[in-house]
Amino acid sequence: MALAASLSSVSLLSPFQWSTFTPCLPHRASTHKSPPRITSTMVVIAASDTTTCRHERRVFAPQYRGGCSPFGQGKKPAKIGAYVSKMGGSSKKIVTGDAGYVLEDVPHFTDYIPDLPTHCNPLQDHPAYCVVKQYFVHDEDTVTEKVIAHKNGPRGLHFRRAGPRQKVYFEPDEVHACIVTCGGLCPGLNTVIREIVCGLYHMYGVKRVLGIDGGYKGFYSRNTIPLTPKVVNDIHKRGGTILGTSRGGHDTSKIVDSIHDRGINQVYIIGGDGTQKGASVIFEEIKRRGLKVAVAGIPKTIDNDIPVIDRSFGFDTAVEEAQRAINAAHVEAESGENGIGLVKVMGRYSGFIAMYATLASRDVDCCLIPESPFYLEGAGGLFEYVERRLKENGHMVIVIAEGAGQELLSESMHSADKKDASGNKLLLDVGLWLSQKIKGHFTKKNKMIINLKYIDPTYMIRAVPSNASDNVYCTLLAQSAVHGAMAGYTGFTSGLVNGRHSYIPFYRITEKQNKVVITDRMWARLLSSTNQPSFLTAKDVIEDKREDESPTQLLDNQSNPDMSNLVKKEIYCN
């Protein structure tokens, strides 16, 4: 009867009337100023008494996937060509479009839980957001992975744009969220925790948020910590994490059992690539059980070695703090006869901190990173360069990443490979080893007296609070994750892609590591700044270029080896 009564008051809406009509904000979800293209009749339906939205009239168009409906979900099915493939137990959700457009989409509740009710986003009544013209993100907005394009090239890979949606899949009172931090420390952890709590509380009215104490194993072996805006009010001014952290301890069955038993339906997991792999496994188990639980990741690695995203939070702070150590090393070096300042910074597999700190400082004479092998003895070796630099300047500064030269160190000390609880190789102290080697070389050759000072600020850098830039970045990452979870997205990581916040599938974050490309312009800029030798042979350059220039098959319209395993199907997106 309500449906019949509503249909009795149907009136057509012309394109001109669109600009003067105020529906339940679907036009605010679009980033386009022009009216939507009408592909079939658009109707305005008077809302029934059962509607949860504050507006009395609604507008529906076939191209709008959703909107606040007086009849529940207000869904209008739209066909989208898509591929679904299996890889490592998880499924890819790939949507294709015209001109080589490829969307690597993230999972959604509606992929495996049918007939879920939706609700109007409470942000539409929020006094801080009501004045914003376009505070809802359109469902079709995507972010391109690569901004460099050719005139006749394909549109390439895209990710779903992050931000608040017009409809949400949780009522504020039903949300029971939890936050966990895993792995090593990093500047900004407390800021992310704070902004998840405050975002849920102030934007969506969520009152129940728990902190999981001590990493993954805290789900089943430790107590939880109730989190409120008052509890987290000033934690961003402190380093570390108020929740505690640990490596390892991942037991998928126990973790999901704990999530289910506690009635948790939103899980926010903060950690590096290993932690995100664990989050992906947790999501797959939750999906297998058919639970309405959103799993959202916030990528954390001080080394900036997570792929796809522009940078990880804490990286800017780490570079800034590394410069303090470099400045101290420079003062020590230039104050003594033939002074050498040696600084070790973090960078297990990627040398981004060392590279950016070197470029920012301009006082560094040699930068050594894991991606660029070096050697000590012989023509063009490190010892020869150090000797020449001391003769020219009377002092020098060397910056080395903790993962650099490990193969030389292992050969020298005959050490066996050992790993920590996260599966990372335990590194030997390459800074101490190199300082001893340099001292031994000059003592043995009896060529000159040197004064070498070794500075290791790695754990000091990890423990500091985040700087202003990282604080803002952490806020946006946390809020993007909250918006995604409330909108029903799950199994995703929130990250910055080409300056736009996006939702990235877990498998893209964990499939490889981000590394410095030593045949790239940025490394060339460093070499021109330090005037150090490249330590590369012609063979090294050729091999590195081949690795770097391997095309992305979906992007370059080449045959994809996974395509044979893809099952093409039509997905009706809601």
Side-chain angles (χ1 to χ4, degrees):
M1 294 297 293
L3 176 61
S6 299
L7 290 175
S8 65
S9 57
V10 170
S11 62
L12 293 179
L13 182 69
S14 69
F16 174 76
Q17 289 172 315
W18 172 268
S19 60
T20 59
F21 182 74
T22 305
C24 185
L25 306 177
H27 65 294
R28 292 192 179 183
S30 173
T31 56
H32 305 290
K33 294 182 179 179
S34 58
R37 182 173 58 89
I38 302 175
T39 55
S40 63
T41 304
M42 297 173 61
V43 296
V44 179
I45 303 175
S48 68
D49 294 336
T50 60
T51 180
T52 58
C53 299
R54 61 189 172 95
H55 296 283
E56 295 181 354
R57 296 165 73 84
R58 310 288 183 266
V59 66
F60 299 95
Q63 66 269 33
Y64 279 89
R65 300 195 304 170
C68 297
S69 167
F71 312 120
Q73 298 182 42
K75 297 177 179 178
K76 201 75 173 179
K79 279 189 178 181
I80 295 180
Y83 294 95
V84 176
S85 69
K86 288 283 185 180
M87 58 169 294
S90 62
S91 58
K92 287 183 178 181
K93 187 178 175 183
I94 300 175
V95 180
T96 58
D98 296 335
Y101 173 91
V102 177
L103 168 64
E104 294 204 38
D105 207 354
V106 296
H108 192 273
F109 285 154
T110 54
D111 296 339
Y112 63 96
I113 304 177
D115 303 323
L116 283 176
T118 59
H119 317 279
C120 283
N121 195 321
L123 282 178
Q124 69 180 23
D125 296 313
H126 198 291
Y129 285 83
C130 280
V131 296
V132 182
K133 287 185 177 180
Q134 297 174 356
Y135 57 81
F136 287 143
V137 173
H138 195 287
D139 282 346
E140 303 301 329
D141 283 359
T142 58
V143 178
T144 181
E145 182 182 24
K146 295 185 178 181
V147 293
I148 305 299
H150 297 283
K151 180 175 63 174
N152 298 321
R155 293 171 64 188
L157 293 174
H158 293 69
F159 300 106
R160 190 163 292 282
R161 184 183 175 192
R165 264 54 181 184
Q166 190 170 336
K167 60 179 181 177
V168 295
Y169 284 77
F170 291 99
E171 289 273 30
D173 292 341
E174 74 173 292
V175 175
H176 190 192
C178 75
I179 306 170
V180 62
T181 54
C182 306
L185 294 183
C186 177
L189 280 170
N190 279 334
T191 305
V192 175
I193 294 168
R194 180 188 190 277
E195 296 310 319
I196 292 174
V197 174
C198 292
L200 285 168
Y201 191 95
H202 295 304
M203 291 190 295
Y204 288 98
V206 173
K207 301 296 191 296
R208 295 187 298 164
V209 185
L210 292 177
I212 304 298
D213 184 17
Y216 276 137
K217 62 184 179 183
F219 276 102
Y220 54 86
S221 64
R222 299 203 181 189
N223 294 326
T224 58
I225 304 170
L227 299 176
T228 65
K230 185 176 181 180
V231 171
V232 302
N233 181 50
D234 61 350
I235 64 172
H236 61 291
K237 300 174 184 177
R238 297 180 243 159
T241 165
I242 63 165
L243 301 181
T245 184
S246 65
R247 298 187 184 276
H250 190 282
D251 188 316
T252 306
S253 181
K254 287 183 179 180
I255 291 172
V256 177
D257 285 345
S258 174
I259 290 170
H260 184 56
D261 293 344
R262 296 176 189 273
I264 293 169
N265 49 24
Q266 289 187 10
V267 183
Y268 297 93
I269 300 174
I270 310 168
D273 54 349
T275 301
Q276 301 303 313
K277 287 178 183 177
S280 178
V281 175
I282 292 171
F283 158 69
E284 292 294 339
E285 177 62 16
I286 286 173
K287 179 181 176 183
R288 188 188 69 81
R289 298 189 189 187
L291 304 178
K292 185 188 174 185
V293 178
V295 181
I298 294 93
K300 174 231 66 174
T301 167
I302 200 170
D303 296 345
N304 198 39
D305 60 0
I306 291 181
V308 181
I309 63 175
D310 295 352
R311 72 178 191 277
S312 54
F313 74 84
F315 175 68
D316 280 357
T317 305
V319 171
E320 190 174 293
E321 291 298 315
Q323 280 194 85
R324 299 178 189 273
I326 292 173
N327 291 339
H330 183 248
V331 170
E332 288 283 356
E334 68 176 355
S335 299
E337 180 184 4
N338 293 324
I340 300 175
L342 177 60
V343 180
K344 186 183 78 171
V345 297
M346 302 194 77
R348 178 181 294 273
Y349 303 112
S350 304
F352 286 102
I353 294 177
M355 181 175 72
Y356 276 83
T358 295
L359 283 168
S361 170
R362 300 291 176 175
D363 288 329
V364 179
D365 299 284
C366 186
C367 177
L368 304 172
I369 61 173
E371 296 89 339
S372 180
F374 65 94
Y375 55 96
L376 303 178
E377 307 278 356
L382 181 63
F383 290 156
E384 182 185 81
Y385 175 64
V386 170
E387 187 175 340
R388 186 175 77 246
R389 201 67 177 161
L390 289 177
K391 288 179 179 178
E392 292 173 353
N393 283 356
H395 67 275
M396 75 174 300
V397 175
I398 302 172
V399 172
I400 185 167
E402 61 180 339
Q406 288 294 318
E407 66 284 349
L408 297 176
L409 188 51
S410 298
E411 291 174 7
S412 174
M413 304 183 70
H414 306 288
S415 62
D417 288 348
K418 296 181 181 179
K419 295 184 177 181
D420 62 18
S422 297
N424 297 316
K425 181 181 176 182
L426 288 174
L427 301 179
L428 300 170
D429 192 339
V430 68
L432 182 60
W433 171 82
L434 184 59
S435 64
Q436 292 171 347
K437 284 290 185 181
I438 293 174
K439 289 177 181 178
H441 171 77
F442 283 96
T443 302
K444 182 179 178 181
K445 296 293 183 181
N446 218 4
K447 292 184 176 180
M448 63 177 70
I449 298 173
I450 63 167
N451 290 289
L452 189 147
K453 300 295 187 296
Y454 171 46
I455 299 175
D456 180 0
T458 50
Y459 289 101
M460 294 176 62
I461 291 173
R462 297 194 335 165
V464 300
S466 54
N467 63 12
S469 173
D470 271 328
N471 267 337
V472 174
Y473 186 35
C474 289
T475 299
L476 298 179
L477 285 174
Q479 291 185 358
S480 294
V482 168
H483 291 316
M486 292 297 295
Y489 293 110
T490 180
F492 70 89
T493 294
S494 170
L496 193 68
V497 180
N498 294 318
R500 292 285 185 178
H501 286 267
S502 310
Y503 298 139
I504 307 162
F506 279 139
Y507 67 84
R508 285 303 308 272
I509 294 295
T510 60
E511 63 186 359
K512 63 179 183 179
Q513 288 180 316
N514 187 32
K515 294 188 176 184
V516 174
V517 180
I518 58 175
T519 52
D520 188 58
R521 292 188 186 90
M522 187 60 76
W523 185 246
R525 293 184 184 106
L526 181 140
L527 295 179
S528 66
S529 171
T530 61
N531 294 315
Q532 70 186 66
S534 67
F535 303 111
L536 287 177
T537 64
K539 181 181 177 182
D540 294 328
V541 174
I542 292 171
E543 289 180 351
D544 192 82
K545 281 187 175 180
R546 283 176 180 171
E547 183 178 344
D548 181 49
E549 292 174 2
S550 60
T552 303
Q553 290 152 334
L554 283 174
L555 186 63
D556 294 341
N557 282 340
Q558 294 186 6
S559 60
N560 187 351
D562 288 339
M563 281 296 184
S564 60
N565 298 323
L566 295 177
V567 181
K568 188 171 183 179
K569 55 191 292 190
E570 294 293 317
I571 293 183
Y572 286 84
C573 296
N574 299 317

